[in-house]
């Protein structure tokens, strides 16, 4: 894979846009192989988004294939969206192999608090130490509390991303994972540092699979910079958001936004990212509840 992407740690606040470009450029140059165990609803979107970014998706979920295939991959992405009992052993085996071999893996705990079956599966997967956990506010709060969400609306969050920041910090400390919360502002934390990625558009909420797809993009970015998953996660969320902003300029509604987002990600260039990436340290006055 690509060499470690260098940064000046003393100037990270000013370095996010060049860093985001460096991550995207590295994905395009190295085409990391990402194993995706994802849900039925988003599999097409996830695969096409990864390809447009320059990565190589592999939608391998059969437990019989995982021991042979997993060592060939550069990162693993697990999404529990359409969870069934038959898939859980494959998810656990893939996560265990990734962790034991030092390869990054990313968890999307879709609707974690909606049912006991779903929550217990996510908590079991947490034991395999995911590199990154990405969810909405409600999902992250359910994982942190380890309890069902009485207000759950399935995949739709009933909590703002900002409301879940403290839970995300605690979850990051207890799990050792980077935790990302999607929302009007996407927050990323390692338990100590917190940044907010402010790129994106509100119409993304009207397209199924956008959260699934951005989590897959996080896996691709972490694959090429595994020693810095915090920075790679922030970059992926911002790059996805920039692509959605460009796509929104051409879209007439949710369906065309999906298409134009994929196109925009494919054509993203350095100048555009340097101009548009908007990542800020949490606590600054401009990191607010405002919609995208």
């Amino acid at each position: 894979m690509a060499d470690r992407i260098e940064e000046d740690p003393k100037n990270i606040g000013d370095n996010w846009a060049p860093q985001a470009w460096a991550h995207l450029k590295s994905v395009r140059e190295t085409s990391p192989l990402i194993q995706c165990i994802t849900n039925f609803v988003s599999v097409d979107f996830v695969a096409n988004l990864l390809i447009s970014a320059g990565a190589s998706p592999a939608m391998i979920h059969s437990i019989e294939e995982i021991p042979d295939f997993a060592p060939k991959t550069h990162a693993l992405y697990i999404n529990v969206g359409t969870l069934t009992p038959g898939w859980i052993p494959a998810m656990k085996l893939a996560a265990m192999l990734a962790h034991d071999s030092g390869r990054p893996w990313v968890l999307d705990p879709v609707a974690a608090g909606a049912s006991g079956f779903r929550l217990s599966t996510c908590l079991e997967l947490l034991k395999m130490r995911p590199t990154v956990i990405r969810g909405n506010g409600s999902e992250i709060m359910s994982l942190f509390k380890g309890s069902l969400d009485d207000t759950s609306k399935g995949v739709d969050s009933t909590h703002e991303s900002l409301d879940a920041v403290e839970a995300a910090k605690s979850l990051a400390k207890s799990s050792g994972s980077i935790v990302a919360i999607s929302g009007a502002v996407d927050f990323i934390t390692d338990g100590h540092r917190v940044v907010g990625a402010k790129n994106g558009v509100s119409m993304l909420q009207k397209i199924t699979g956008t959260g699934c797809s951005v989590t897959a993009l996080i896996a691709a970015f972490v694959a090429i910079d595994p020693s810095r998953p915090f920075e790679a996660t922030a970059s992926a969320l911002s790059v996805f958001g920039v692509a959605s902003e460009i796509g929104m300029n051409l879209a007439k509604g949710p369906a065309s936004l999906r298409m134009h987002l994929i196109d925009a990600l494919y054509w993203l260039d350095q100048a555009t990212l340097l101009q548009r990436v908007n990542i800020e340290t949490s606590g600054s006055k401009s990191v607010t509840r405002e919609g995208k």
Side-chain angles (χ1 to χ4, degrees), residues 160-181:
E160 298 287 343
S161 58
L162 187 61
D163 297 333
V165 169
E166 291 305 315
K169 290 171 67 177
S170 297
L171 179 60
K173 290 176 183 178
S174 63
S175 65
S177 307
I178 302 302
V179 178
I181 323 159

Side-chain angles (χ1 to χ4, degrees), residues 227-242:
S227 65
R228 301 187 313 142
F230 178 80
E231 292 80 2
T233 299
S235 290
L237 285 163
S238 188
V239 166
F240 184 89
V242 169

Side-chain angles (χ1 to χ4, degrees), residues 142-157:
S142 289
L143 282 188
F144 164 64
K145 295 175 182 178
S147 62
L148 296 180
D149 181 0
D150 292 336
T151 65
S152 175
K153 294 178 64 179
V155 300
D156 295 326
S157 183

Side-chain angles (χ1 to χ4, degrees), residues 49-77:
L49 189 100
L50 283 175
I51 293 169
S52 71
S56 179
M59 320 315 271
I60 299 290
H61 66 267
S62 171
I63 194 169
E64 288 80 8
E65 289 190 276
I66 287 173
D68 293 331
F69 189 79
K72 301 178 175 69
T73 66
H74 300 109
L76 167 69
Y77 164 47

Side-chain angles (χ1 to χ4, degrees), residues 4-60:
R4 185 180 185 274
I5 299 171
E6 297 298 331
E7 70 170 10
D8 178 0
K10 297 179 182 178
N11 196 33
I12 191 169
D14 295 330
N15 206 38
W16 283 112
Q19 193 164 212
W21 168 248
H23 280 118
L24 179 59
K25 183 172 182 285
S26 185
V27 169
R28 289 171 172 174
E29 291 174 346
T30 61
S31 190
L33 179 61
I34 312 301
Q35 181 185 356
C36 303
I37 304 179
T38 190
N39 63 72
F40 301 135
V41 178
S42 69
V43 63
D44 171 78
F45 195 0
V46 166
N48 280 298
L49 189 100
L50 283 175
I51 293 169
S52 71
S56 179
M59 320 315 271
I60 299 290

Side-chain angles (χ1 to χ4, degrees), residues 236-259:
L237 285 163
S238 188
V239 166
F240 184 89
V242 169
S244 73
E245 292 168 357
I246 296 169
M248 191 68 226
N249 290 334
L250 299 170
K252 296 181 179 180
S256 54
L257 174 58
R258 182 183 188 274
M259 175 185 69

